Amino acid sequence: MTSCGISIGIVGLALALLTAPAIAQDGPVKLGVLTDMSSLYADNGGQGSVVAAQMAVDDFNGQVLGRTIQIVAGDHQNKADVGATIARRWLENENVEVILDVPNSAVALAVQGITRDKKKLFIATGAATSRLTGDECSPTGIHWTYDTYALSQGTTKAMSRLGANSWFFISVDYSLGAQLEADSRKVIDAMGGKVIGAVKHPINTPDFSSFLLQAQSSKADVIALADSGGDFINAVKQAGEFGVAQRQKLVGLLVFIADIHSLGLQSAQGLMLSSAFYWDLNEDTRAWSKRFIAKTQKVPTMIHAGTYGAVMHYLKAVQSAGTLDGPTVAAAMRAMPVNDFMTRNGRIRDDGRLVRDMYLFRVKAPEQSKYKFDYYELLATIPGEEAFRPMEQGGCPFLKKS
């Protein structure tokens, strides 16, 4: 009886081992949206990114390579260790094939390191740091929406051309702020300007008074906010209370339309900003945005639009390559041009940077706004080749090996 039981157990184990790969292959293709669901970047990414990703899946008819597509979501809480733990669990235990969004540069750098080691796709639609295609680049990493270099090129150059000669930086104290400030300083130096002061603030800080007082006392022409989301909103509100804009120009280096909506045009009017997307830019952007607004009752940010486009391009590449293998799909994505409602004739370089046009906007005054979410006036279109850092200047290490 004992030997019979052992025989049955061995047969059962053998059958389980034989059928396990088949079950995995027949399961859903999982796409992970790792985002900020509950803190200062939640309006810019958050649940809106999950909705945008699902819209792309639905528009792709919900299947690829004969398998259903499933969106899974996680909240990184703006902590690199939390984001890394979720990413590892997804890739090692839950068969997630690609990670998207990640609107926090420190978390994104951690995730890119993990996906690089695991040879899985990471498409950064929410992170800003240009290091993702520089010293921390990855053969399976794609930086999709915007980056600190492109943002500084647009806004900082525009302000310099308007006569701004002296600058003071208020920067969030982690990789986003450091890279935004560093990339902007290069532009200021090249334009003949001077940075006369800088201060760092903790992420998600409620009180900017001491930082604004330092900036105000510097008498700099421009106070540059190298932060984003809730930090940017709080800084602008408190700058208004201190009367900063009466003598100095306030500039946001990473501004989302959700931030402008929270501030209101009365507080935000006149701000110049760079963006990869505006919902009211043309008929195509309006058509997609109308669908997004109907699902969320919120205006879409460039992260939301970028997440949709990234999911669609990824699925097209998977279909074309006939596989889910990370390096193979990454190569297929680089080989295909990017064309959708947000991007025209975009291309993904070998370092992973999607090169697309960027836009310079000015926030309208309340009396200029004619309908809901009518917030921006287009000042200039910046061609992608001018907006993004030349690949040879980024220092991407794997390019030197090829």
Side-chain angles (χ1 to χ4, degrees):
M1 185 178 293
T2 303
S3 60
C4 179
I6 293 172
S7 299
I8 292 170
I10 292 171
V11 170
L13 177 61
L15 285 171
L17 291 172
L18 285 170
T19 56
I23 292 170
Q25 285 187 345
D26 290 339
V29 176
K30 294 183 180 180
L31 285 60
V33 176
L34 184 57
T35 189
D36 177 358
M37 290 288 194
S38 54
S39 188
L40 73 168
Y41 304 136
D43 286 341
N44 299 328
Q47 187 59 34
S49 291
V50 179
V51 170
Q54 188 61 54
M55 286 172 66
V57 169
D58 293 344
D59 289 349
F60 205 78
N61 295 321
Q63 290 193 338
V64 66
L65 304 183
R67 295 164 60 182
T68 59
I69 306 164
Q70 180 183 348
I71 300 295
V72 298
D75 183 358
H76 60 50
Q77 302 173 37
N78 292 295
K79 298 175 182 176
D81 57 340
V82 173
T85 298
I86 295 171
R88 287 189 184 281
R89 186 183 77 237
W90 278 356
L91 300 179
E92 294 174 358
N93 302 326
E94 298 180 19
N95 299 315
V96 170
E97 300 293 342
V98 57
I99 297 175
L100 301 112
D101 196 5
V102 194
N104 178 300
S105 291
V107 182
L109 289 168
V111 171
Q112 177 130 303
I114 294 166
T115 53
R116 182 172 53 230
D117 292 344
K118 301 289 184 183
K119 294 182 169 54
K120 293 290 188 177
L121 262 294
F122 172 41
I123 312 176
T125 57
T129 179
S130 57
R131 292 183 63 195
L132 289 168
T133 55
D135 63 316
E136 290 289 343
C137 67
S138 166
T140 55
I142 294 171
H143 203 174
W144 190 268
T145 309
Y146 57 91
D147 65 23
T148 51
Y149 184 96
L151 294 166
S152 63
Q153 287 292 301
T155 309
T156 312
K157 272 187 178 178
M159 294 305 298
S160 296
R161 285 168 179 160
L162 288 171
N165 295 314
S166 58
W167 296 69
F168 189 102
F169 282 89
I170 299 177
S171 304
V172 63
D173 192 11
Y174 80 103
S175 51
L176 167 67
Q179 202 62 52
L180 267 176
E181 183 177 330
D183 285 338
S184 296
R185 281 175 176 265
K186 292 174 186 175
V187 177
I188 292 164
D189 289 344
M191 299 290 287
K194 187 168 71 169
V195 177
I196 62 174
V199 65
K200 298 185 183 301
H201 70 79
I203 187 172
N204 210 11
T205 186
D207 185 5
F208 280 83
S209 57
S210 65
F211 313 120
L212 289 165
L213 286 171
Q214 289 180 64
Q216 203 169 27
S217 64
S218 75
K219 296 183 168 55
D221 296 334
V222 177
I223 299 172
L225 301 175
D227 52 19
S228 185
D231 283 334
F232 169 77
I233 292 168
N234 284 337
V236 173
K237 284 180 178 177
Q238 291 171 42
E241 294 167 7
F242 280 93
V244 168
Q246 293 172 14
R247 290 187 175 86
Q248 294 162 291
K249 294 182 177 69
L250 198 66
V251 168
L253 297 174
L254 178 49
V255 183
F256 294 89
I257 196 167
D259 305 332
I260 303 303
H261 182 72
S262 294
L263 283 166
L265 294 184
Q266 190 64 45
S267 297
Q269 61 182 309
L271 276 171
M272 283 191 181
L273 60 101
S274 296
S275 182
F277 172 77
Y278 176 46
W279 77 272
D280 204 14
L281 198 61
N282 55 51
E283 288 300 325
D284 290 339
T285 58
R286 282 188 285 273
W288 183 85
S289 298
K290 184 177 179 181
R291 294 171 54 205
F292 180 90
I293 292 168
K295 292 177 179 293
T296 65
Q297 283 69 59
K298 293 183 178 180
V299 62
T301 69
M302 55 180 163
I303 293 178
H304 301 145
T307 300
Y308 176 97
V311 170
M312 285 294 287
H313 194 73
Y314 169 77
L315 294 174
K316 289 175 183 176
V318 168
Q319 194 73 43
S320 174
T323 180
L324 291 168
D325 177 69
T328 304
V329 176
M333 291 181 72
R334 284 169 167 83
M336 297 165 57
V338 180
N339 281 293
D340 58 31
F341 68 92
M342 178 181 181
T343 306
R344 291 286 179 266
N345 300 315
R347 65 182 184 89
I348 302 171
R349 300 186 313 206
D350 290 345
D351 63 352
R353 177 66 258 168
L354 170 57
V355 177
R356 61 140 60 77
D357 291 348
M358 294 286 289
Y359 305 97
L360 182 67
F361 297 105
R362 180 164 46 219
V363 178
K364 291 183 175 181
E367 62 271 16
Q368 293 176 299
S369 180
K370 305 303 181 187
Y371 40 86
K372 192 174 184 180
F373 305 134
D374 177 24
Y375 294 159
Y376 291 173
E377 173 191 357
L378 178 64
L379 298 180
T381 299
I382 307 165
E385 295 296 336
E386 179 185 330
F388 291 96
R389 180 181 60 202
M391 186 165 63
E392 61 272 15
Q393 294 180 16
C396 175
F398 80 77
L399 294 179
K400 299 172 185 175
K401 300 173 185 176
S402 57

